[in-house]
């Protein structure tokens, strides 16, 4: 399209009748085991149809969930084809995503018995997906069903977290509990120590450390600080220990983004104070040696947003404001985050949307059945706030509003001796 937006060659509303008429024959072929048993290509077709139709497939979606739920229970007795399993859950997720906002109770009535059986029988191959679907259902559920209350303690069983493929789903489901903390506050408070123990466990594994930061970021975004405040300093100590033992740039990036997210979302001085209690001058040390290099990395748009807003708050902390080196590095970092360099290369934008996610090469042939493979695309309800910074629609406007009152003069002064700060000084004029 002229504005560079993705547009489909065919309109979902126009294609709806043609596409929906093939869904029932496909499901009947799969259920009767005609032709190729557990044919992943047929199941992927169903997933693609509903992903493409979006809201236009909502009306037919609930009726389609019933045979899919029957197939799910049947296949769970012998889940021998990982690609078929993945596409089966992707099809379910694509339908749930569009049907659950308008009729959560009806969707739960169809799916919860089947998902409950999988949990009860502990079908290992299906658990990673089941947790993700439950997270999607809980997001849309108007009330906290007994199943969610009863399930919570089991989610924190150490054995579940040892299976790497479970981790994305467990994190996704815990995020749904965090979002509904008003309903689950006491449950969360009484299990917070266990949640942080699981966080530490996945943080210390290179393959799951990314999921550990997803869990931490969900906590920062959705839980009130008073719910986890007493655990905050030990939590930072665990992060710093991991940071010290692993010099991975990705870990450093995730750490800095997460810290800035906390600074942005939390009005208190809790993080600088906690760092100072762990070791005096630690915040300045981190800004100079860890923060500054990360701020020059290629980051997603939502990461740049929270980093810019977080750095603005870090600069206001006395020990950073009074340290010329740290303050200058923060200003240079903001130049990169805000894309103010005239010759700056294109900055990374948001992740691909669910529908634009690249297909699995060769249908997934040769892939290990592990963490990255078990993560479903359609696990957020339409219109849900996505990314780390749904509250910042425009980065430049938000950054200028926060920075100009307190730092325009300081940036202009620093720019006289440090040319790299000049773009920021001009931006704040």
């Amino acid at each position: 399209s002229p504005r560079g937006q993705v547009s489909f060659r065919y309109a979902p509303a126009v294609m709806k009748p043609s596409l929906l008429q093939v869904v029932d024959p496909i499901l009947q072929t799969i259920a009767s085991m005609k032709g190729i048993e557990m044919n992943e290509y047929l199941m992927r077709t169903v997933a693609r149809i509903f992903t493409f139709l979006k809201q236009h497939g909502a009306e037919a979606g609930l009726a389609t969930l019933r045979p899919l739920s029957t197939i799910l229970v049947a296949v769970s007795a012998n889940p021998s084809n990982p690609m078929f399993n993945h596409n089966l859950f992707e099809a379910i997720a694509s339908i749930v995503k569009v049907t659950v906002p308008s009729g959560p109770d009806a969707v739960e009535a169809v799916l919860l018995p089947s998902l409950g059986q999988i949990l009860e029988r502990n079908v290992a191959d299906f658990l990673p997906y089941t947790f993700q679907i439950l997270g999607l259902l809980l997001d849309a559920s108007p009330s906290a069903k007994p199943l969610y209350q009863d399930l919570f303690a089991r989610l924190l069983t150490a054995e579940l977290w040892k299976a790497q493929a479970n981790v994305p789903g467990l994190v996704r489901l815990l995020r749904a509990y965090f979002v509904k903390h008003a309903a689950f506050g006491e449950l969360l408070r009484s299990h917070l120590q266990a949640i942080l123990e699981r966080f530490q466990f996945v943080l210390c594994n290179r393959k799951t450390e990314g999921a550990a930061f997803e869990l931490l970021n969900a906590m920062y975004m959705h839980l009130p600080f008073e719910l986890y405040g007493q655990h905050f300093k030990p939590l930072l100590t665990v992060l710093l220990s991991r940071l010290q033992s692993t010099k991975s740039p990705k870990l450093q990036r995730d750490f800095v983004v997460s810290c800035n997210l906390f600074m942005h979302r939390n009005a208190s001085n809790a993080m600088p104070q906690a760092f100072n209690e762990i070791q005096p001058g630690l915040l300045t040390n981190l800004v100079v040696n860890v923060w500054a290099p990360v701020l020059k990395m290629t980051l997603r748009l939502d990461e740049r947003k929270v980093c810019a807003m977080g750095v603005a708050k870090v600069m206001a902390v006395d020990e950073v404001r009074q340290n010329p080196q740290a303050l200058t590095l923060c200003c240079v970092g903001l130049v990169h985050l805000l894309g103010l360099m005239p010759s700056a290369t294109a900055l990374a934008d948001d992740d691909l949307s669910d529908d634009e996610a690249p297909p699995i090469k060769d249908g997934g042939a040769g892939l290990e059945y592990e963490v990255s493979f078990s993560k479903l695309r359609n696990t957020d309800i339409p219109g849900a706030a996505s990314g780390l910074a749904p509250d910042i629609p425009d980065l430049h406007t938000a950054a200028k509003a926060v920075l100009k009152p307190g730092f325009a003069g300081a940036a202009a002064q620093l720019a006289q001796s440090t040319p790299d700060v000049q773009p920021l000084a001009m931006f704040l004029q």
Side-chain angles (χ1 to χ4, degrees), residues 297-315:
M297 290 181 182
T298 302
L299 303 173
R300 295 194 322 257
L301 178 58
D302 64 333
E303 291 174 334
R304 287 191 284 125
K305 285 179 176 180
V306 294
C307 282
M309 303 308 284
V311 166
K313 285 192 176 181
V314 168
M315 288 164 65

Side-chain angles (χ1 to χ4, degrees), residues 212-425:
F213 281 100
E214 282 185 33
L215 178 60
L216 185 63
N217 292 343
M219 196 170 82
Y220 287 164
M221 287 185 72
H222 304 297
L223 290 185
F225 181 69
E226 56 268 19
L227 207 148
Y228 62 89
Q230 63 177 330
H231 302 278
F232 188 53
K233 194 164 79 169
L235 175 64
L236 291 181
T237 305
V238 166
L239 285 166
L240 291 167
S241 174
R242 178 68 174 160
L243 198 65
Q244 194 169 20
S245 63
T246 309
K247 303 301 181 186
S248 153
K250 183 184 181 304
L251 179 72
Q252 292 176 343
R253 187 194 73 191
D254 288 343
F255 171 78
V256 170
V257 169
S258 187
C259 286
N260 279 312
L261 175 64
F262 178 88
M263 291 294 292
H264 168 56
R265 303 286 297 199
N266 200 289
S268 74
N269 208 32
M271 182 169 279
Q273 186 179 333
F275 280 140
N276 192 51
E277 289 173 7
I278 293 169
Q279 183 185 314
L282 179 58
L283 177 61
T284 303
N285 188 10
L286 286 169
V287 166
V288 172
N289 296 301
V290 183
W291 243 269
V294 168
L295 300 183
K296 293 181 180 180
M297 290 181 182
T298 302
L299 303 173
R300 295 194 322 257
L301 178 58
D302 64 333
E303 291 174 334
R304 287 191 284 125
K305 285 179 176 180
V306 294
C307 282
M309 303 308 284
V311 166
K313 285 192 176 181
V314 168
M315 288 164 65
V317 178
D318 285 345
E319 72 170 277
V320 175
R321 181 190 278 272
Q322 293 164 10
N323 184 304
Q325 183 189 13
L327 192 62
T328 301
L329 287 170
C330 284
C331 289
V332 172
L334 283 168
V335 170
H336 286 270
L337 293 172
L338 298 170
L340 301 177
M341 293 291 285
S343 59
T345 53
L347 290 156
D349 211 328
D350 287 316
D351 279 345
L352 290 170
S353 74
D354 292 340
D355 305 326
E356 297 163 326
I360 299 171
K361 189 177 180 182
D362 297 328
L367 279 183
E368 287 183 47
Y369 186 46
E370 58 173 33
V371 177
S372 60
F373 184 48
S374 69
K375 194 166 185 177
L376 299 172
R377 295 175 186 174
N378 296 288
T379 55
D380 288 303
I381 56 176
S386 59
L388 300 175
D391 56 326
I392 308 171
D394 183 77
L395 174 54
H396 278 200
T397 303
K400 189 173 283 190
V402 172
L403 290 164
K404 192 168 183 176
F407 294 102
Q413 193 173 347
L414 286 170
Q416 293 175 11
S417 57
T418 311
D420 286 348
V421 180
Q422 286 177 2
L424 181 65

Side-chain angles (χ1 to χ4, degrees), residues 106-144:
V107 175
E108 285 183 328
V110 173
L111 282 181
L112 286 184
S114 304
L115 298 178
Q117 282 190 48
I118 290 166
L119 293 169
E120 211 171 290
R121 287 159 41 207
N122 200 33
V123 183
D125 288 26
F126 281 8
L127 288 179
Y129 303 113
T130 299
F131 295 138
Q132 293 173 75
I133 300 291
L134 284 169
L136 182 55
L137 290 172
L138 180 54
D139 272 348
S141 180
S143 58

